[in-house]
Amino acid sequence: MDIFTTIIYLTLFIIMMVFVFSIGTLKQYMPRREVVLVLAVAFLIGSIGGAFFLDPIYDELPEAASLVEKNMPNNEETLYLDLSSSIDTNMLRENLSSTEGFKSFKETSVSIPMWTFDDTEHEYFEWVVGNIDSGYKSYNVTSDTINIQLEDNYTSSQALKSFSDWYKLVYGGTISYAQIHAVLVVDSSSLEDFEQILLDKGIVASSIEGPVQESINNTNASMLSNYEFILVCGGVGVVVALLGIYIDTIIPAYRRFKKFINSKRKR
């Protein structure tokens, strides 16, 4: 949300609170039993104002709290990506590396969904996968998936090709789908740019680590839920109404207190 919209929303909420205050000042013209109705209306107006005008601003607090971390030099964010094997990772690498703030992009592993293995098949794949390609750093065979860790400077396309060639030779079929796991490191100040580039390609990071994301997570953890925040705004409306109701008592009391403080200082 831009600063202009934020100012407009805050101004509209303040106008609503001025209206609530004005209702409260009418206490002397209404029966005593209707004061409860005034407070109920004040709560309703405060809640509505909070939901429509303050809640969108409140939702932006984590991003606002991370601005300091974004502008700190040498801060880096690490994005963990799960990519479809249909994505051209070489082109993706070129697009990312040409963007200011790029640090590194590394394909770390591939996951190849298979069928549910029986014990014999599981044992066979655990033995054979390591012999298919020397570019496999390590591997893990689950009940229905083969996960292959890649050596440095070894790409997912190379790993998938070698596995697919072997699979076609042994089973006579083809591998239709695999998932590529990659790690992208960028400057914290450029995080939003890279998130947008990925989003344009239909990619959302599975997780993000770094000072900016940590700041966002910490702020989110300390915030009220949207429902609780709206109730608090309703409470603010009630407080403002009470100020309006008792303003005739508050102002004289404040003047007496101020006079008392001044007299104590003179002594």
Side-chain angles (χ1 to χ4, degrees), residues 138-184:
S138 62
Y139 63 93
N140 168 256
V141 180
T142 66
S143 61
D144 60 0
T145 304
I146 297 175
N147 303 296
I148 301 172
Q149 299 292 322
L150 306 179
E151 291 282 4
D152 295 339
N153 301 319
Y154 192 76
T155 66
S156 59
S157 59
Q158 291 174 299
L160 290 173
K161 184 179 185 307
S162 62
F163 187 88
S164 296
D165 290 344
W166 171 85
Y167 185 82
K168 186 174 183 179
L169 180 65
V170 175
Y171 289 93
T174 58
I175 300 298
S176 58
Y177 175 79
Q179 191 173 61
I180 302 168
H181 307 286
V183 177
L184 171 64

Side-chain angles (χ1 to χ4, degrees), residues 114-115 117 120-134 136 139 141 146 148 162-163 166-167 169-171:
M114 305 293 281
W115 61 89
F117 301 136
T120 301
E121 290 171 330
H122 189 277
E123 184 178 348
Y124 171 69
F125 276 105
E126 282 192 329
W127 170 78
V128 77
V129 172
N131 300 314
I132 295 174
D133 194 325
S134 60
Y136 299 172
Y139 63 93
V141 180
I146 297 175
I148 301 172
S162 62
F163 187 88
W166 171 85
Y167 185 82
L169 180 65
V170 175
Y171 289 93

Side-chain angles (χ1 to χ4, degrees), residues 10-52:
L10 288 174
T11 302
L12 290 173
F13 183 79
I14 292 172
I15 291 173
M16 294 180 76
M17 292 301 99
V18 170
F19 176 70
V20 168
F21 181 84
S22 300
I23 294 176
T25 59
L26 299 176
K27 182 198 70 169
Q28 56 182 322
Y29 303 108
M30 64 181 70
R32 183 181 298 272
R33 63 179 179 273
E34 292 189 5
V35 172
V36 176
L37 178 60
V38 170
L39 296 180
V41 171
F43 179 83
L44 181 62
I45 292 175
S47 299
I48 293 174
F52 283 96

Side-chain angles (χ1 to χ4, degrees), residues 24-245:
T25 59
L26 299 176
K27 182 198 70 169
Q28 56 182 322
Y29 303 108
M30 64 181 70
R32 183 181 298 272
R33 63 179 179 273
E34 292 189 5
V35 172
V36 176
L37 178 60
V38 170
L39 296 180
V41 171
F43 179 83
L44 181 62
I45 292 175
S47 299
I48 293 174
F52 283 96
F53 301 128
L54 295 189
D55 192 54
I57 299 173
Y58 187 67
D59 287 338
E60 300 262 337
L61 280 182
E63 290 293 334
S66 67
L67 285 177
V68 174
E69 297 295 346
K70 286 183 179 179
N71 292 288
M72 291 290 289
N74 302 320
N75 274 359
E76 296 179 352
E77 303 296 310
T78 302
L79 292 80
Y80 296 91
L81 311 177
D82 296 327
L83 312 171
S84 168
S85 55
S86 62
I87 289 178
D88 187 337
T89 55
N90 291 326
M91 183 175 292
L92 177 62
R93 184 193 302 272
E94 290 178 5
N95 291 341
L96 294 172
S97 60
S98 62
T99 304
E100 184 178 358
F102 174 83
K103 291 294 184 180
S104 66
F105 177 80
K106 181 182 179 183
E107 299 167 55
T108 57
S109 64
V110 295
S111 297
I112 307 173
M114 305 293 281
W115 61 89
T116 301
F117 301 136
D118 59 30
D119 291 341
T120 301
E121 290 171 330
H122 189 277
E123 184 178 348
Y124 171 69
F125 276 105
E126 282 192 329
W127 170 78
V128 77
V129 172
N131 300 314
I132 295 174
D133 194 325
S134 60
Y136 299 172
K137 183 177 182 179
S138 62
Y139 63 93
N140 168 256
V141 180
T142 66
S143 61
D144 60 0
T145 304
I146 297 175
N147 303 296
I148 301 172
Q149 299 292 322
L150 306 179
E151 291 282 4
D152 295 339
N153 301 319
Y154 192 76
T155 66
S156 59
S157 59
Q158 291 174 299
L160 290 173
K161 184 179 185 307
S162 62
F163 187 88
S164 296
D165 290 344
W166 171 85
Y167 185 82
K168 186 174 183 179
L169 180 65
V170 175
Y171 289 93
T174 58
I175 300 298
S176 58
Y177 175 79
Q179 191 173 61
I180 302 168
H181 307 286
V183 177
L184 171 64
V185 181
V186 303
D187 284 336
S188 294
S189 59
S190 303
L191 177 60
E192 291 183 2
D193 295 335
F194 283 93
E195 286 181 319
Q196 187 59 52
I197 291 172
L198 293 172
L199 188 60
D200 291 341
K201 297 181 180 298
I203 303 170
V204 177
S206 57
S207 64
I208 303 176
E209 294 179 357
V212 170
Q213 190 62 37
E214 183 177 354
S215 174
I216 291 174
N217 292 340
N218 291 339
T219 304
N220 279 325
S222 63
M223 290 173 64
L224 299 172
S225 68
N226 294 85
Y227 177 74
E228 292 170 333
F229 179 74
I230 291 172
L231 291 180
V232 169
C233 291
V236 171
V238 172
V239 171
V240 171
L242 287 172
L243 289 175
I245 291 171

Side-chain angles (χ1 to χ4, degrees), residues 248-262:
D248 293 337
T249 304
I250 293 173
I251 291 178
Y254 171 74
R255 288 173 177 171
R256 288 194 298 270
F257 176 76
K258 187 176 180 181
K259 184 177 180 180
F260 173 76
I261 294 298
N262 291 335

